Amino acid sequence: MTTETRLGEDDKLHEECGVFGVWKVPTAAAITALGLHALQHRGQEATGIVSFDGARFHQHRGMGLVGDNFGDAKVIDSLPGSVAIGHNRYATTGDTILRNVQPLYADFEFGGFAVAHNGNLTNAHVLRRALVRRGCLFQSTTDSEVFVHLIAISLYSTVVDRLIDALKQVVGAYSLVALSNEALMGVRDPLGVRPLILGRIGNEGTGGWVLASETCALDIVGADFVRDVEPGEIVVINDQGVHSIRPFGRARERFCVFEYIYFARPDSIVEGTPVYDARKRIGAMLAREAGVPADVVVPVPDSGVPAAMGYSVESGIPFELGIIRNHYVGRTFIEPTDHIRHLGVKLKHSANRPALEGKRVILVDDSIVRGTTSKKIVEMVRQAGAREVHMRISSPPTTHSCFYGIDTPERGKLLAAKHTVEEMAELIGADSLAFISLDGLYQALGQPNRDPAAPHYCDACFTGDYPIILPDQADNADKQLSLLAANH
Ligand code: AMP
């Protein structure tokens, strides 16, 4: 893609992404393209790969899906080398223009450096201001570029020390993969909000390693799961193997609970738990907490399917595919305006009339954000002849925006931020509406009830309990000051 394309920015606040990196395999770029393809659900707007052939770095980025950009053998051939990193982006911070598409790459005195980032830095605007004052020239409007400049101005000599120096100044939720002339690096933020895993590829002894946002990206390239990169850990992979560094003190981890509910692919294993099983258990808990007499349990596909299966088994009410999803349209959220998003729901779902006509229907979906999807689906199911429509949601009400890497609109657009459950039921046109409780969710995930003093997950979208400082708080924090310190 040679021309810059500017898409409309809506009310989106934050960035959803997938990252992948591979060390020492033949045709690393092809392996990376496959990994990114498996991570396509984490970002569909743009994609990129940077490879290193031992002497030079090579890069290709484009708007759109992985298959559209890396399906062509000529493109893969232009990315030689046995190491590579890649990125899928669903742009939410920064305009969607080609220069914002990751991995970002820069030439330094120590060699090349490429970085791909999943998450959001909540003090990026403060750091950017300070860096610009110091004379740094930003090429993009993405958060992630602050890493590149912080590494550039660091007074440390090795890449890893410069990376640590940079990481100590950023605040936020992030998983990173980075590539230098000497090493592939992976980092998770100190609370481990976003996922990152380590895998082994090729025969034992051949030195092949993979970093990826989710285990589904290992399966597609025939890699074996080794372990999660731990919260606050930096893994440095080179010809000597995997070396682990922990530059931050130990913090209590706060993995994003929404990865279990919606974001991760159901065939991924997250923190030792298969996402599919977790979703079925959440559905079963929902049936126990908010059962209602009905004839069929119908998922809103695809996101509601495992929870609806769990609900059906627990309640004994038959599971039916009462809504059929057209797989040739992207996620509803991809659409840039409310109007198109509205139409998008119809493009994406249609009612399977024989499964619904004359029935009392329990509809199961994973979340209500703006309420657009639920309203359209309830209407569609009624038009198909359903006698009653009961909506059951496998997450608590989404009352707060995410600032840590899940795309949610500003708070004013969240239906649950302004309305009670009864009001929401009326607004979406359902006979009844219920959400899983927060404690029910924790229990379904194998945890004790939520401890408000030390919650196991980041659940800020349901509680407003934000574990990392927010962008407006970052203005007053002193973290950025080392940037301005005399030695710089
Ligand atoms: P809404 O129509 O705004 O209420 O959005 C709810 C629908 O969007 C549900 O069907 C969810 O599966 C889906 N959804 C929830 N969160 C996200 C997200 N961050 N990105 C894309 N889709 C989402």
Side-chain angles (χ1 to χ4, degrees), residues 92-105:
T92 49
T93 56
D95 294 338
T96 306
I97 48 179
L98 201 51
R99 67 194 160 92
N100 279 342
V101 179
Q102 301 188 33
L104 300 175
Y105 175 81

PDB file of all heavy atoms in Angstrom, residues 92-105:
ATOM      1  N   THR A  92      -7.359   3.009  17.389  1.00  0.00           N
ATOM      2  CA  THR A  92      -8.323   3.778  18.150  1.00  0.00           C
ATOM      3  C   THR A  92      -7.678   5.034  18.700  1.00  0.00           C
ATOM      4  O   THR A  92      -8.355   6.031  18.867  1.00  0.00           O
ATOM      5  CB  THR A  92      -8.910   2.929  19.291  1.00  0.00           C
ATOM      6  OG1 THR A  92      -7.839   2.335  19.980  1.00  0.00           O
ATOM      7  CG2 THR A  92      -9.823   1.862  18.757  1.00  0.00           C
ATOM      8  N   THR A  93      -6.387   4.975  18.977  1.00  0.00           N
ATOM      9  CA  THR A  93      -5.699   6.225  19.303  1.00  0.00           C
ATOM     10  C   THR A  93      -4.892   6.606  18.083  1.00  0.00           C
ATOM     11  O   THR A  93      -4.199   5.776  17.501  1.00  0.00           O
ATOM     12  CB  THR A  93      -4.730   6.082  20.488  1.00  0.00           C
ATOM     13  OG1 THR A  93      -3.822   5.040  20.192  1.00  0.00           O
ATOM     14  CG2 THR A  93      -5.454   5.794  21.766  1.00  0.00           C
ATOM     15  N   GLY A  94      -4.978   7.815  17.688  1.00  0.00           N
ATOM     16  CA  GLY A  94      -4.238   8.226  16.500  1.00  0.00           C
ATOM     17  C   GLY A  94      -5.053   7.926  15.258  1.00  0.00           C
ATOM     18  O   GLY A  94      -5.818   6.967  15.222  1.00  0.00           O
ATOM     19  N   ASP A  95      -4.911   8.747  14.249  1.00  0.00           N
ATOM     20  CA  ASP A  95      -5.623   8.518  13.002  1.00  0.00           C
ATOM     21  C   ASP A  95      -5.141   7.224  12.374  1.00  0.00           C
ATOM     22  O   ASP A  95      -4.024   6.801  12.569  1.00  0.00           O
ATOM     23  CB  ASP A  95      -5.335   9.647  12.005  1.00  0.00           C
ATOM     24  CG  ASP A  95      -5.896  10.961  12.486  1.00  0.00           C
ATOM     25  OD1 ASP A  95      -6.815  10.918  13.316  1.00  0.00           O
ATOM     26  OD2 ASP A  95      -5.406  11.999  12.034  1.00  0.00           O
ATOM     27  N   THR A  96      -6.033   6.648  11.564  1.00  0.00           N
ATOM     28  CA  THR A  96      -5.632   5.448  10.863  1.00  0.00           C
ATOM     29  C   THR A  96      -4.957   5.831   9.558  1.00  0.00           C
ATOM     30  O   THR A  96      -5.578   5.903   8.525  1.00  0.00           O
ATOM     31  CB  THR A  96      -6.843   4.558  10.581  1.00  0.00           C
ATOM     32  OG1 THR A  96      -7.482   4.333  11.819  1.00  0.00           O
ATOM     33  CG2 THR A  96      -6.423   3.237   9.991  1.00  0.00           C
ATOM     34  N   ILE A  97      -3.699   6.098   9.632  1.00  0.00           N
ATOM     35  CA  ILE A  97      -2.931   6.384   8.431  1.00  0.00           C
ATOM     36  C   ILE A  97      -1.721   5.475   8.439  1.00  0.00           C
ATOM     37  O   ILE A  97      -1.315   4.996   9.491  1.00  0.00           O
ATOM     38  CB  ILE A  97      -2.523   7.876   8.350  1.00  0.00           C
ATOM     39  CG1 ILE A  97      -1.931   8.337   9.674  1.00  0.00           C
ATOM     40  CG2 ILE A  97      -3.690   8.743   7.937  1.00  0.00           C
ATOM     41  CD1 ILE A  97      -1.489   9.774   9.672  1.00  0.00           C
ATOM     42  N   LEU A  98      -1.179   5.271   7.275  1.00  0.00           N
ATOM     43  CA  LEU A  98      -0.159   4.239   7.154  1.00  0.00           C
ATOM     44  C   LEU A  98       1.034   4.461   8.082  1.00  0.00           C
ATOM     45  O   LEU A  98       1.613   3.518   8.593  1.00  0.00           O
ATOM     46  CB  LEU A  98       0.290   4.143   5.687  1.00  0.00           C
ATOM     47  CG  LEU A  98       0.952   2.839   5.287  1.00  0.00           C
ATOM     48  CD1 LEU A  98       0.136   1.629   5.681  1.00  0.00           C
ATOM     49  CD2 LEU A  98       1.223   2.832   3.799  1.00  0.00           C
ATOM     50  N   ARG A  99       1.373   5.729   8.320  1.00  0.00           N
ATOM     51  CA  ARG A  99       2.553   5.936   9.170  1.00  0.00           C
ATOM     52  C   ARG A  99       2.286   5.562  10.631  1.00  0.00           C
ATOM     53  O   ARG A  99       3.207   5.481  11.433  1.00  0.00           O
ATOM     54  CB  ARG A  99       3.073   7.371   9.031  1.00  0.00           C
ATOM     55  CG  ARG A  99       2.173   8.439   9.554  1.00  0.00           C
ATOM     56  CD  ARG A  99       2.636   9.814   9.049  1.00  0.00           C
ATOM     57  NE  ARG A  99       1.564  10.787   9.143  1.00  0.00           N
ATOM     58  CZ  ARG A  99       1.366  11.568  10.178  1.00  0.00           C
ATOM     59  NH1 ARG A  99       2.170  11.491  11.211  1.00  0.00           N
ATOM     60  NH2 ARG A  99       0.366  12.411  10.184  1.00  0.00           N
ATOM     61  N   ASN A 100       1.022   5.322  10.998  1.00  0.00           N
ATOM     62  CA  ASN A 100       0.721   4.846  12.345  1.00  0.00           C
ATOM     63  C   ASN A 100       0.726   3.332  12.456  1.00  0.00           C
ATOM     64  O   ASN A 100       0.530   2.787  13.534  1.00  0.00           O
ATOM     65  CB  ASN A 100      -0.663   5.342  12.783  1.00  0.00           C
ATOM     66  CG  ASN A 100      -0.623   6.765  13.277  1.00  0.00           C
ATOM     67  OD1 ASN A 100       0.435   7.274  13.607  1.00  0.00           O
ATOM     68  ND2 ASN A 100      -1.765   7.410  13.309  1.00  0.00           N
ATOM     69  N   VAL A 101       0.874   2.651  11.328  1.00  0.00           N
ATOM     70  CA  VAL A 101       0.762   1.201  11.350  1.00  0.00           C
ATOM     71  C   VAL A 101       2.068   0.588  11.859  1.00  0.00           C
ATOM     72  O   VAL A 101       3.155   0.963  11.426  1.00  0.00           O
ATOM     73  CB  VAL A 101       0.397   0.671   9.942  1.00  0.00           C
ATOM     74  CG1 VAL A 101       0.311  -0.848   9.957  1.00  0.00           C
ATOM     75  CG2 VAL A 101      -0.934   1.271   9.489  1.00  0.00           C
ATOM     76  N   GLN A 102       1.950  -0.345  12.768  1.00  0.00           N
ATOM     77  CA  GLN A 102       3.116  -0.954  13.402  1.00  0.00           C
ATOM     78  C   GLN A 102       3.489  -2.253  12.693  1.00  0.00           C
ATOM     79  O   GLN A 102       2.696  -2.740  11.906  1.00  0.00           O
ATOM     80  CB  GLN A 102       2.795  -1.215  14.868  1.00  0.00           C
ATOM     81  CG  GLN A 102       2.433   0.060  15.603  1.00  0.00           C
ATOM     82  CD  GLN A 102       2.297  -0.166  17.088  1.00  0.00           C
ATOM     83  OE1 GLN A 102       2.970  -0.988  17.683  1.00  0.00           O
ATOM     84  NE2 GLN A 102       1.414   0.595  17.708  1.00  0.00           N
ATOM     85  N   PRO A 103       4.643  -2.836  12.973  1.00  0.00           N
ATOM     86  CA  PRO A 103       5.674  -2.398  13.907  1.00  0.00           C
ATOM     87  C   PRO A 103       6.292  -1.055  13.488  1.00  0.00           C
ATOM     88  O   PRO A 103       6.448  -0.784  12.298  1.00  0.00           O
ATOM     89  CB  PRO A 103       6.733  -3.495  13.833  1.00  0.00           C
ATOM     90  CG  PRO A 103       6.052  -4.679  13.234  1.00  0.00           C
ATOM     91  CD  PRO A 103       4.975  -4.152  12.370  1.00  0.00           C
ATOM     92  N   LEU A 104       6.653  -0.253  14.509  1.00  0.00           N
ATOM     93  CA  LEU A 104       7.420   0.958  14.247  1.00  0.00           C
ATOM     94  C   LEU A 104       8.887   0.549  14.123  1.00  0.00           C
ATOM     95  O   LEU A 104       9.326  -0.407  14.762  1.00  0.00           O
ATOM     96  CB  LEU A 104       7.246   1.952  15.392  1.00  0.00           C
ATOM     97  CG  LEU A 104       5.800   2.403  15.645  1.00  0.00           C
ATOM     98  CD1 LEU A 104       5.750   3.296  16.877  1.00  0.00           C
ATOM     99  CD2 LEU A 104       5.213   3.118  14.440  1.00  0.00           C
ATOM    100  N   TYR A 105       9.633   1.290  13.313  1.00  0.00           N
ATOM    101  CA  TYR A 105      11.039   0.925  13.097  1.00  0.00           C
ATOM    102  C   TYR A 105      11.887   2.191  13.124  1.00  0.00           C
ATOM    103  O   TYR A 105      11.477   3.239  12.605  1.00  0.00           O
ATOM    104  CB  TYR A 105      11.213   0.215  11.749  1.00  0.00           C
ATOM    105  CG  TYR A 105      12.664  -0.052  11.460  1.00  0.00           C
ATOM    106  CD1 TYR A 105      13.299  -1.143  12.032  1.00  0.00           C
ATOM    107  CD2 TYR A 105      13.410   0.828  10.680  1.00  0.00           C
ATOM    108  CE1 TYR A 105      14.656  -1.360  11.824  1.00  0.00           C
ATOM    109  CE2 TYR A 105      14.764   0.610  10.467  1.00  0.00           C
ATOM    110  CZ  TYR A 105      15.378  -0.486  11.050  1.00  0.00           C
ATOM    111  OH  TYR A 105      16.706  -0.687  10.868  1.00  0.00           O
TER     112      TYR A 105
END
